[in-house]
């Protein structure tokens, strides 16, 4: 009676030891996965921060470009107005001068 229960006890201890080793492997794997997840999360956060900063820089640059374009448009319009007034005045003088010349001849 003593030997079978001793064998049973040894088998139980062996199974428990194997189970403990298996559990230890699983815990180690979970800890490794957790570490990897934390590292990936930090990388993602840094990437998002860099992306947000880049987007803000682009916004600022676009605002400056719009201001410059609007300023250029206003300058172009003023130049065009000036040219049209000069051209119109010259054309009017030419027409009037031509009519006067035609009348005098």
């Amino acid at each position: 009676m003593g030997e079978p229960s001793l064998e049973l006890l040894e088998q139980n201890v062996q199974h428990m030891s194997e189970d403990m080793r298996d559990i230890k492997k699983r815990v180690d794997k979970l800890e490794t996965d957790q570490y990897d997840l934390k590292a990936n999360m930090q990388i993602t956060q840094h990437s998002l921060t860099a992306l947000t900063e880049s987007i803000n820089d682009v916004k600022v640059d676009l605002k400056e470009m719009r201001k410059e374009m609007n300023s250029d448009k206003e300058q172009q319009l003023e130049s065009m107005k000036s040219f049209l007034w000069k051209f119109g005045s010259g054309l009017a003088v030419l027409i009037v001068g031509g009519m006067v010349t035609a009348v005098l001849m």
Side-chain angles (χ1 to χ4, degrees):
M1 212 182 203
E3 286 186 31
S5 66
L6 182 60
E7 283 181 23
L8 185 61
L9 187 58
E10 286 176 348
Q11 284 179 353
N12 284 342
V13 168
Q14 185 179 4
H15 289 300
M16 290 173 98
S17 295
E18 289 173 2
D19 289 345
M20 291 297 285
R21 277 188 228 113
D22 186 46
I23 290 171
K24 172 94 170 83
K25 287 179 185 177
R26 289 181 182 182
V27 167
D28 289 344
K29 173 78 169 115
L30 287 172
E31 287 174 349
T32 301
D33 290 348
Q34 182 183 16
Y35 175 79
D36 290 345
L37 283 172
K38 285 181 179 179
N40 286 339
M41 193 163 117
Q42 286 178 341
I43 291 170
T44 302
Q45 286 175 340
H46 289 294
S47 297
L48 285 174
T49 300
L51 181 62
T52 302
E53 289 173 359
S54 296
I55 288 173
N56 287 336
D57 291 345
V58 168
K59 284 181 180 179
V60 168
D61 290 345
L62 283 174
K63 284 180 182 178
E64 289 176 7
M65 285 176 57
R66 283 185 192 137
K67 286 179 184 177
E68 288 176 11
M69 288 176 63
N70 286 338
S71 175
D72 288 346
K73 283 181 184 178
E74 289 174 10
Q75 288 175 353
Q76 288 175 354
L77 283 173
E78 289 300 319
S79 296
M80 189 67 116
K81 283 180 187 178
S82 175
F83 170 76
L84 287 175
W85 275 106
K86 289 176 185 176
F87 179 78
S89 299
L91 186 60
V93 167
L94 182 65
I95 291 172
V96 170
M99 290 173 72
V100 169
T101 304
V103 169
L104 291 178
M105 288 191 163

